[in-house]
Amino acid sequence: MYDELKYWYLRDHKLFWTLSMSQIKQLCIITGFKKANKGDIIYFSSSDLPRIFLLKKGNIKIVSIDEEGNETIKEILQKGDLFGELSLEADDSVNEYAKVLTDEVSICSFLLSDFEDLLVRNPTLALSYTKFVGLKMKRFKNNYSNLVSKDAKTRLSSFLKDWAEREGIQDGKKYTINNYLTQADIAQIICTSRQTATLLLNELEEKNIIYYNRKEIIIDDIEKL
Amino acid sequence: MYDELKYWYLRDHKLFWTLSMSQIKQLCIITGFKKANKGDIIYFSSSDLPRIFLLKKGNIKIVSIDEEGNETIKEILQKGDLFGELSLEADDSVNEYAKVLTDEVSICSFLLSDFEDLLVRNPTLALSYTKFVGLKMKRFKNNYSNLVSKDAKTRLSSFLKDWAEREGIQDGKKYTINNYLTQADIAQIICTSRQTATLLLNELEEKNIIYYNRKEIIIDDIEKL
DNA sequence: CGCCAAATGTAAACTACCCGACATTTCATT
DNA sequence: AATGAAATGTCGGGTAGTTTACATTTGGCG
């Protein structure tokens, strides 16, 4: 039924370019498929069997909760991103879930064990996958240093730049971002309070550097950020 | 000459357990070997050819410098740890170097390209390596959340606990750590100023929770931390 | 031993940011 | 159009932590 669909979903992901059709089919057989709507919560960390998920459409945020109940946004994911047990090791100690940010998302998933089998049988894929995980780590390290050495204003600017470059529609130096985040979300991402984020966003707007509303964010000249 | 030595150095690392003797020899042929002393700086990010390093003895810190000249300690490494281009991708954008903390360290290294060859030929090793990188990422994520939601005092306590458990000599609830870090180092690790670190350390000492001097740190009861 | 640089200790001024408390706006739903 | 909940805006008080600035201690080394 959906097999053809799933096939293409995996097929067009960079990571799987090296795989033959039959190898992808092998993974596809065990692929789960799921749709969800804005606001839905997808639990994955303590799910029955450890899985790897692939976000095919839409945006989600990965949120974790610590012992004291503090919510932290770990990542914002877009189309094509992988999440779940990326380190290939089930881990109960982290309490994470995904929350849907856009109107409609579609997600497919496969069992960790099946993915491992595939990796063992495809060394080139294994290598690409390792590089992929390594890249993710680098991005984390980078955020980390930003948090340490930059103030909230600078972190907001880098975040907006980053977001624009990853997802915005470019027109010269002008970028238009489809805004699916609330100011509270942005605040959590740049690790500050909601109030400070509001303040800084309005400040940027007063200086005519950005134009902000709930639907979109327009950056007139990205170099001014 | 050193071949036998190098062989064992790799052989006793968990990561290489799955390799046959001949496979290790293959990697060993191209292994570099190096000794260095306290205070020495080892550049590796922009070295001629990208390499992976294995710290065989002693401790080093990985430090990075950003555009403004801010130094940040990225990691403290102990015996057995790997560093260098772990993500298997050369990257000029990061400006990192290693600084030797203990009296004497020994390091061996091999070329990234040779390591990649080995990974492609040994899928099981590739899988272990991916898990290893994944684990490292998890540790980073964890530090990150600590930084976001905990205050300096708590971060110091977690750091000391962690350090004691990794390297300390245990005697019931008592731990003795060989202290090769200055208070300035500790401050950077827990992301605070040198003065605050001093203050907090002395506070812990006044409460008889730790005993601190330049040579060692003694934690009477790790549960009290 | 005596010198010097690095490490540690201490204090006061300052500040970016958090937190609580509210008002206002926006939007979906009936 | 009315209602309520979520999102946004705004203000001030409180504070953890930085910064500057200097004193004191320690240990390595000629």
Side-chain angles (χ1 to χ4, degrees):
Chain A
M1 37 153 248
Y2 278 126
D3 267 9
E4 272 312 300
L5 193 67
K6 287 178 200 165
Y7 170 80
W8 284 110
Y9 273 4
L10 289 183
R11 188 74 186 166
D12 79 353
H13 195 281
K14 279 199 297 298
L15 205 57
F16 301 104
W17 281 352
T18 55
L19 294 182
S20 73
M21 190 150 139
S22 69
Q23 285 166 328
I24 292 203
K25 290 246 159 159
Q26 179 200 332
L27 197 58
C28 278
I29 292 169
I30 43 75
T31 296
F33 192 79
K34 182 181 222 169
K35 277 185 183 296
N37 297 310
K38 194 168 187 167
D40 288 356
I41 288 178
I42 301 162
Y43 292 95
F44 61 88
S45 60
S46 55
S47 68
D48 41 351
L49 282 167
R51 283 174 173 274
I52 303 238
F53 298 82
L54 171 60
L55 181 59
K56 282 311 306 176
K57 188 189 156 195
N59 293 90
I60 60 175
K61 60 178 176 182
I62 307 293
V63 182
S64 81
I65 305 191
D66 68 5
E67 321 80 53
E68 285 123 49
N70 296 315
E71 270 203 1
T72 338
I73 293 191
K74 289 293 183 73
E75 280 177 286
I76 303 289
L77 301 182
Q78 26 261 151
K79 180 183 163 228
D81 282 337
L82 293 173
F83 63 106
E85 302 295 348
L86 297 190
S87 68
L88 306 181
E89 249 9 308
D91 183 359
D92 297 334
S93 71
V94 284
N95 201 345
E96 292 185 338
Y97 61 85
K99 190 163 184 187
V100 179
L101 295 171
T102 44
D103 280 346
E104 202 185 72
V105 300
S106 47
I107 291 164
C108 58
S109 72
F110 33 88
L111 288 176
L112 185 56
S113 49
D114 289 317
F115 189 58
E116 275 195 23
D117 286 349
L118 192 71
L119 287 182
V120 171
R121 253 176 269 130
N122 296 277
T124 321
L125 177 65
L127 204 63
S128 313
Y129 185 71
T130 305
K131 288 183 183 176
F132 164 78
V133 174
L135 188 70
K136 230 179 162 82
M137 179 165 71
K138 265 193 190 151
R139 254 191 244 128
F140 263 103
K141 277 190 176 179
N142 194 35
N143 282 341
Y144 192 76
S145 2
N146 272 345
L147 190 53
V148 171
S149 56
K150 310 278 197 290
D151 63 3
K153 188 187 276 185
T154 316
R155 293 198 308 266
L156 176 61
S157 289
S158 343
F159 167 69
L160 287 175
K161 256 187 228 169
D162 205 63
W163 191 12
E165 277 159 10
R166 269 185 299 115
E167 291 191 75
I169 298 154
Q170 188 179 1
D171 174 16
K173 287 176 183 176
K174 185 180 162 193
Y175 283 82
T176 307
I177 304 171
N178 173 264
N179 180 20
Y180 49 80
L181 296 173
T182 66
Q183 297 190 356
D185 284 331
I186 295 176
Q188 278 192 66
I189 293 168
I190 63 170
C191 296
T192 188
S193 64
R194 205 260 313 155
Q195 292 92 323
T196 306
T198 303
L199 197 78
L200 294 172
L201 281 170
N202 290 340
E203 206 176 293
L204 285 176
E205 190 149 27
E206 261 164 43
K207 290 187 192 158
N208 289 317
I209 296 174
I210 67 167
Y211 170 75
Y212 178 99
N213 71 30
R214 294 189 186 188
K215 287 270 160 59
E216 57 181 13
I217 300 175
I218 298 170
I219 303 169
D220 250 349
D221 178 355
I222 199 158
E223 289 168 14
K224 281 193 189 151
L225 254 185
Chain B
M1 38 154 249
Y2 278 124
D3 266 11
E4 273 310 301
L5 194 65
K6 288 177 198 161
Y7 169 81
W8 284 111
Y9 273 4
L10 289 182
R11 186 71 184 170
D12 78 356
H13 194 281
K14 279 198 297 297
L15 206 56
F16 301 105
W17 282 354
T18 54
L19 294 182
S20 73
M21 191 151 137
S22 68
Q23 286 167 327
I24 292 201
K25 291 242 159 163
Q26 179 200 330
L27 197 59
C28 278
I29 292 168
I30 41 76
T31 296
F33 192 78
K34 183 181 222 172
K35 276 185 184 296
N37 298 309
K38 193 167 185 166
D40 288 357
I41 288 178
I42 302 162
Y43 291 95
F44 60 88
S45 60
S46 54
S47 66
D48 41 352
L49 283 167
R51 285 174 171 275
I52 303 239
F53 298 81
L54 171 59
L55 181 60
K56 280 313 303 174
K57 189 191 157 194
N59 294 90
I60 61 176
K61 59 177 176 184
I62 307 293
V63 182
S64 81
I65 305 193
D66 68 5
E67 320 81 55
E68 286 124 47
N70 296 315
E71 270 203 359
T72 337
I73 292 191
K74 289 294 184 68
E75 277 176 288
I76 302 290
L77 301 182
Q78 26 263 152
K79 182 182 160 225
D81 281 338
L82 293 174
F83 64 105
E85 302 294 349
L86 295 190
S87 69
L88 306 181
E89 260 349 322
D91 183 359
D92 297 334
S93 70
V94 283
N95 200 345
E96 291 184 340
Y97 61 85
K99 191 163 185 188
V100 178
L101 296 171
T102 45
D103 282 344
E104 203 185 69
V105 302
S106 48
I107 291 165
C108 58
S109 72
F110 31 89
L111 289 175
L112 186 56
S113 50
D114 290 316
F115 189 58
E116 274 195 22
D117 287 349
L118 191 70
L119 287 183
V120 171
R121 256 177 266 128
N122 296 277
T124 321
L125 177 65
L127 204 63
S128 310
Y129 185 72
T130 306
K131 287 182 185 178
F132 164 80
V133 174
L135 188 70
K136 228 177 163 80
M137 179 164 72
K138 266 192 191 155
R139 253 191 245 129
F140 264 103
K141 277 190 176 177
N142 194 36
N143 281 342
Y144 192 75
S145 4
N146 272 344
L147 191 52
V148 170
S149 56
K150 309 278 196 293
D151 64 3
K153 187 187 275 186
T154 317
R155 293 199 306 268
L156 176 60
S157 289
S158 343
F159 167 69
L160 287 176
K161 256 187 229 169
D162 206 61
W163 192 11
E165 276 159 9
R166 269 187 297 116
E167 290 193 74
I169 298 155
Q170 188 180 2
D171 174 16
K173 287 176 180 174
K174 184 182 162 192
Y175 283 81
T176 307
I177 305 172
N178 172 263
N179 181 21
Y180 49 81
L181 297 173
T182 65
Q183 296 190 357
D185 284 330
I186 295 176
Q188 279 191 63
I189 294 168
I190 63 171
C191 296
T192 187
S193 65
R194 206 259 314 155
Q195 292 88 325
T196 306
T198 302
L199 198 78
L200 293 173
L201 282 169
N202 291 339
E203 207 175 293
L204 286 176
E205 191 150 25
E206 262 165 43
K207 290 188 194 158
N208 289 315
I209 297 173
I210 66 167
Y211 169 76
Y212 179 97
N213 72 31
R214 292 187 189 189
K215 287 270 160 58
E216 56 180 15
I217 301 175
I218 298 170
I219 303 169
D220 249 349
D221 179 354
I222 199 158
E223 288 169 15
K224 283 192 187 148
L225 254 183

